[in-house]
Amino acid sequence: MTARIGVVTFPGSLDDRDTQRAIRLAGAEPVALWHKDKDLKQVDAVVLPGGFSYGDYLRAGAISRFSPVMESVVEQARAGLPVLGICNGFQVLTEAHLLPGAMLGNDHLHFICRDQKLRVENAGTAWTGDYTAGQEIHIPLKNMDGRFVADTYTLDELEAEGRVVFRYLDVNPNGSLRDIAGITNEAGNVVGLMPHPEHAVEPLIGSGRTDGLPFFTSILKKLVTA
Amino acid sequence: MARVVVDVMLKPEILDPQGQAVQRALPRLGFDGISDVRQGKRFELEVEGPVDEAALARIHDLAESFLANTVIEDFTVKVEEVAEAAK
């Protein structure tokens, strides 16, 4: 039996299909979830994909957070359901207060699209078990609102508890405080990051690397051996 | 009908690159003497019925939970009198 991983489609989601494909390549079964539907179809984990849900109106993720599907995602994430938010999905997770801090426009005001070098800081989350702590990886980054901010107390707490999961290396592409690219909640089941692992799962396309695939094999391993 | 205005501003400690870009453009337009610009959002809510304490409390909750993200933004709520003649 394999794991069933839901991928939410919001109006304006862009990477839901790519994420489903990455899940399939990792050996799990992707399940399409719809923003208007509270039913999570008994999936074992959920991914909130990248894009510009609800046009990023008001603030990125601010309107998606109140969609029917998010009611169930928030409730079940608090009960331990593994949830991964990629890019816009990360923004939705901060707006829903499943992750601390907030996302703001890139400090240089430009949209950014590049292969980004990252360091894996925490290989103990539900989504990073197939990496090793300290590992350096390259994953595409593409966003407008990628600047992670939080107050100093929250940042210190994230660092002290090992909840910074990924950090930008070489360049800070968006002005994120302390070069933070991704974080996790206290339990380690909810992870959000700005770069796009689902775009780095096949050697044929993109950067030619498959550095993003371990996200999806990590969760599969975790669910199947659980 | 009464109008309630919710103003949302980034907290002072949060970098506002849009405001900075506006401020940097000012000298080119011949505006000197503006040392800082910060950009915010203004929401005008047309309220049906009386704007009493209960209505204002609800709007305050709305601003706190939705119109502003209080992790990064502050907000104010104020009632704007609509002149009788304008009705």
Side-chain angles (χ1 to χ4, degrees):
Chain A
M1 203 189 94
T2 188
R4 299 171 70 247
I5 303 177
V7 179
V8 176
T9 299
F10 296 102
S13 291
L14 297 177
D15 301 319
D16 41 345
R17 293 297 190 94
D18 285 36
T19 304
Q20 290 178 18
R21 184 177 168 77
I23 288 166
R24 199 174 298 117
L25 283 169
E29 180 192 341
V31 178
L33 301 176
W34 184 235
H35 69 107
K36 277 188 176 168
D37 201 346
K38 276 170 90 167
D39 181 11
L40 298 187
K41 301 181 183 171
Q42 296 182 311
V43 291
D44 303 305
V46 168
V47 182
L48 306 179
F52 296 87
S53 59
Y54 294 89
D56 275 359
Y57 299 145
L58 188 58
R59 297 176 304 275
I63 297 178
S64 322
R65 173 219 167 169
F66 291 99
S67 61
V69 73
M70 282 306 296
E71 264 182 60
S72 309
V73 169
V74 169
E75 188 186 306
Q76 294 196 32
R78 294 217 165 102
L81 180 78
V83 177
L84 174 67
I86 301 168
C87 194
N88 192 228
F90 184 17
Q91 294 158 345
V92 175
L93 290 176
T94 60
E95 283 285 341
H97 306 303
L98 283 174
L99 291 174
M103 310 303 301
L104 279 165
N106 298 338
D107 59 351
H108 46 71
L109 298 174
H110 298 287
F111 187 89
I112 193 165
C113 183
R114 66 195 304 270
D115 277 330
Q116 176 68 45
K117 194 171 172 186
L118 304 171
R119 185 171 57 234
V120 180
E121 302 280 17
N122 179 345
T125 77
W127 299 91
T128 54
D130 273 355
Y131 293 105
T132 50
Q135 188 178 344
E136 295 183 2
I137 60 175
H138 285 79
I139 286 184
L141 176 74
K142 46 163 196 168
N143 64 73
M144 191 71 219
D145 294 338
R147 174 166 50 118
F148 177 76
V149 298
D151 59 44
T152 304
Y153 176 82
T154 304
L155 292 169
D156 288 343
E157 191 177 59
L158 287 171
E159 305 261 16
E161 293 174 0
R163 289 166 54 197
V164 175
V165 183
F166 297 96
R167 231 183 277 269
Y168 298 115
L169 285 186
D170 296 346
V171 279
N172 182 329
N174 45 31
S176 289
L177 295 178
R178 302 195 190 178
D179 300 334
I180 289 173
I183 56 171
T184 186
N185 64 344
E186 281 174 38
N189 63 311
V190 179
V191 170
L193 82 166
M194 284 314 293
H196 287 260
E198 80 283 15
H199 294 330
V201 294
E202 286 171 292
L204 185 63
I205 54 168
S207 60
R209 290 165 174 265
T210 56
D211 288 1
L213 196 58
F215 272 85
F216 306 98
T217 55
S218 297
I219 189 65
L220 177 61
K221 215 172 274 180
K222 165 129 186 127
L223 293 170
V224 170
T225 56
Chain B
M1 291 278 272
R3 174 178 292 170
V4 175
V5 175
V6 179
D7 281 312
V8 177
M9 289 299 296
L10 282 175
K11 291 185 174 184
E13 66 270 23
I14 303 282
L15 177 73
D16 176 14
Q18 287 193 95
Q20 287 179 341
V22 172
Q23 191 268 338
R24 282 197 299 270
L26 296 179
R28 291 204 298 274
L29 305 174
F31 282 90
D32 292 321
I34 308 289
S35 63
D36 191 26
V37 174
R38 294 183 67 79
Q39 182 177 318
K41 292 176 193 154
R42 172 187 166 102
F43 299 88
E44 299 182 343
L45 312 181
E46 306 299 334
V47 181
E48 291 172 357
V51 180
D52 50 17
E53 247 176 66
L56 278 175
R58 283 182 60 219
I59 290 170
H60 189 278
D61 288 347
L62 168 74
E64 191 169 36
S65 61
F66 185 47
L67 299 181
N69 178 347
T70 54
V71 174
I72 46 172
E73 294 167 325
D74 294 323
F75 67 90
T76 58
V77 176
K78 59 177 187 277
V79 183
E80 194 167 86
E81 296 301 329
V82 180
E84 282 299 314
K87 281 185 178 173

